[in-house]
Amino acid sequence: MALFTFPKDFLWGASTAAYQIEGAIHEDGRGPCVWDTFTDAGRIQDGSSAAVACDHYHRWPDDIALLKDAGFNAYRFSIAWPRILPSGTGEVNAAGLDFYDRLVDGLLAAGIRPMACLYHWDLPQPLEDRGGWQGREVVGPFADYARIVSARLADRVKDWMMLNEPNVVATHGYGTGEHAPGHKLGETGILRALHHQNLAQGAALRAIAAERPGLTLGTVINLQPCRAESDRPEDVAAAARWDAVWNRVALDGVMRGKIPDLMAERMKDFVLPGDEEAIRYPIDLLGINYYSRMTMKHETGHPFDVWWGDAHCDRWTAMAWPVQPDGLYDLLMEFKRDYGNPAVFVAENGAAYDDVVGPDGQVHDAERVAFLRDHVASVGRALADGCNVKGYLCWSLLDNFEWAFGLSKRFGIVRVDYDTLVRTPKDSYRFLSEVAKSGRLEA
């Protein structure tokens, strides 16, 4: 048993995404996004939609109360681009800005640090109709959107994250078609989407910095250490290729202004002179979303001739994701070693399990408690070993609309009854609250 202690200013909290919790998709002037179109096309596995989701748009005071009662001091939320600019560009929807005004003021009144993310996958459909993340035409509108939102909120919101998981958007949205907008464009589609998100991110960072100095600017990337299934040369090469695609295009883009050598030839037709400097920006804080390692093998017929290998793991979530908390420690220490120990925070970490409501009306989610305990311990261990990690935000505060899975997968530390919308804190909520309030963990 080890005791980990955390600094008094360590960030404890949770993350959410607008599309997954807000609902109210047709209210107050909000425009359509790619996930609305994807849903309307019948692409959600359980047939549900985000039309209501958690109804956070109307119940946000209740959700702030949950954060406050837990003793959390930070909350990363995303702003819905189509609420602010229903067409993706052009006329601003005042009601959209008013909503986030109320949310931010509510968070500050509760003593919670608002950490705003500009893009969590809800690309306005009119911009997708013009090419979306496959072309450069989206870069200017994203920078304009960043400028508009920060002009309204940056007097109170000091932490700004540009993107959430550009690698997931690129791979599943434009490469394999499992996520909105549902395109199957293969390797080139993936790399084009990554590069244009990088360009838009660089433009937005500069736009916000010009709007108001002194902010904490960053982005959020899903990072997963890539390991080869075996020591066969073809598996080792496959893992390196996937690391370049999944981790390094986004990470080295913003941190180093560099296209990974393994992808340079494949990207040469759409990386123009000056692009690498445009995507680099000296960010103040990097958000890391960590769920597991990736164990990969060579297999033709898949993008980059890479496919899942045997994870060599005996713990799994309800998403069939391996549970590998030591991978988070390894990842944090890699940043210390390879990137000059920049300021980072865990922006997402959590697990879906098939929660059951007990006879007492409560959710005793022992597996999620164990998951969180082990991962917070990895953060504590990295912190003790000198990693410049500033906080831990779980995914997620609420059960919510889990993208293509619909409402069938529950990641929340608070249960949402989708019939009544009643919120019920789970044991995992109480566990994380205890750690946040005490700043201590025995594991």
Side-chain angles (χ1 to χ4, degrees):
M1 185 75 72
L3 174 64
F4 299 102
T5 58
F6 297 85
K8 289 192 183 305
D9 61 352
F10 197 77
L11 300 176
W12 294 105
S15 290
T16 62
Y19 194 79
Q20 293 180 270
I21 67 169
E22 284 182 2
I25 63 174
H26 301 300
E27 289 188 38
D28 291 343
R30 179 191 176 277
C33 79
V34 291
W35 277 96
D36 299 323
T37 305
F38 193 78
T39 300
D40 290 345
R43 300 291 301 275
I44 306 303
Q45 293 180 19
D46 67 355
S48 65
S49 82
V52 176
C54 307
D55 196 31
H56 174 76
Y57 190 75
H58 300 109
R59 298 167 187 261
W60 59 267
D62 297 339
D63 297 333
I64 290 178
L66 287 165
L67 292 163
K68 182 178 181 179
D69 290 349
F72 294 161
N73 59 10
Y75 175 53
R76 184 179 72 102
F77 61 97
S78 79
I79 294 170
W81 190 348
R83 281 205 194 282
I84 308 304
L85 293 156
S87 297
T89 187
E91 187 174 351
V92 176
N93 178 35
L97 287 172
D98 289 345
F99 169 69
Y100 294 106
D101 251 342
R102 296 191 295 272
L103 179 65
V104 166
D105 287 346
L107 289 166
L108 291 171
I112 297 164
R113 177 170 167 174
M115 305 182 78
C117 182
L118 285 176
Y119 182 69
H120 200 133
W121 304 5
D122 46 4
L123 183 69
Q125 185 62 43
L127 291 180
E128 174 56 32
D129 293 341
R130 286 153 51 185
W133 294 115
Q134 289 299 292
R136 291 171 179 261
E137 197 172 341
V138 72
V139 173
F142 188 65
D144 290 341
Y145 159 59
R147 190 178 299 108
I148 289 163
V149 175
S150 60
R152 179 66 169 265
L153 299 176
D155 60 327
R156 287 153 291 152
V157 178
K158 303 306 180 185
D159 298 89
W160 291 88
M161 305 291 116
M162 301 303 105
L163 304 177
N164 181 82
E165 300 183 346
N167 45 0
V168 179
V169 171
T171 302
H172 299 314
Y174 291 90
T176 63
E178 297 156 350
H179 282 188
H183 299 313
K184 298 181 180 180
L185 303 176
E187 295 177 5
T188 300
I190 292 169
L191 294 173
R192 287 180 70 93
L194 276 166
H195 186 59
H196 295 121
Q197 286 178 93
N198 274 350
L199 285 171
Q201 173 175 269
L205 283 162
R206 289 170 174 84
I208 294 179
E211 182 65 39
R212 180 177 285 265
L215 301 174
T216 298
L217 302 182
T219 197
V220 177
I221 306 174
N222 181 311
L223 296 173
Q224 297 180 258
C226 292
R227 301 291 183 262
E229 181 189 58
S230 75
D231 57 6
R232 294 188 308 162
E234 57 265 42
D235 288 346
V236 173
R241 282 195 305 278
W242 193 243
D243 176 64
V245 175
W246 187 259
N247 295 317
R248 306 298 163 182
V249 174
L251 181 59
D252 286 356
V254 69
M255 300 291 285
R256 294 172 170 166
K258 183 168 174 19
I259 302 297
D261 292 340
L262 285 173
M263 292 298 121
E265 180 67 22
R266 299 173 195 247
M267 297 175 70
K268 67 179 183 180
D269 290 342
F270 50 86
V271 176
L272 303 183
D275 278 3
E276 289 180 299
E277 185 55 36
I279 64 180
R280 181 184 176 278
Y281 191 88
I283 57 174
D284 305 299
L285 185 62
L286 176 69
I288 294 172
N289 293 355
Y290 175 82
Y291 289 94
S292 70
R293 290 194 185 93
M294 286 178 157
T295 306
M296 314 308 289
K297 65 181 179 181
H298 176 86
E299 189 170 306
T300 57
H302 301 284
F304 307 98
D305 292 331
V306 177
W307 196 238
W308 303 107
D310 184 347
H312 308 296
C313 186
D314 59 3
R315 289 171 65 188
W316 302 84
T317 74
M319 298 288 286
W321 295 351
V323 178
Q324 299 167 318
D326 53 330
L328 178 55
Y329 172 81
D330 294 344
L331 181 61
L332 291 170
M333 295 308 292
E334 176 185 301
F335 272 88
K336 180 175 183 291
R337 184 186 71 235
D338 296 342
Y339 289 86
N341 206 18
V344 301
F345 75 110
V346 177
E348 288 185 24
N349 177 243
Y353 290 105
D354 295 326
D355 297 331
V356 175
V357 180
D360 59 356
Q362 299 298 308
V363 177
H364 302 296
D365 53 339
E367 287 179 302
R368 186 176 292 105
V369 170
F371 181 100
L372 295 175
R373 182 186 300 279
D374 292 346
H375 284 80
V376 173
S378 285
V379 174
R381 186 176 156 215
L383 191 64
D385 287 345
C387 181
N388 191 15
V389 58
K390 301 296 189 182
Y392 177 91
L393 277 59
C394 76
W395 184 269
S396 178
L397 177 65
L398 304 170
D399 290 337
N400 55 47
F401 181 79
E402 183 49 38
W403 306 113
F405 289 95
L407 299 173
S408 64
K409 301 296 183 183
R410 294 180 177 271
F411 275 88
I413 57 172
V414 174
R415 175 183 171 80
V416 177
D417 182 314
Y418 294 119
D419 294 323
T420 65
L421 297 172
V422 168
R423 277 84 159 127
T424 304
K426 306 176 187 179
D427 283 356
S428 54
Y429 171 94
R430 287 180 278 273
F431 162 75
L432 204 53
S433 171
E434 207 173 281
V435 176
K437 288 175 178 177
S438 68
R440 295 158 57 90
L441 173 70
E442 287 189 19

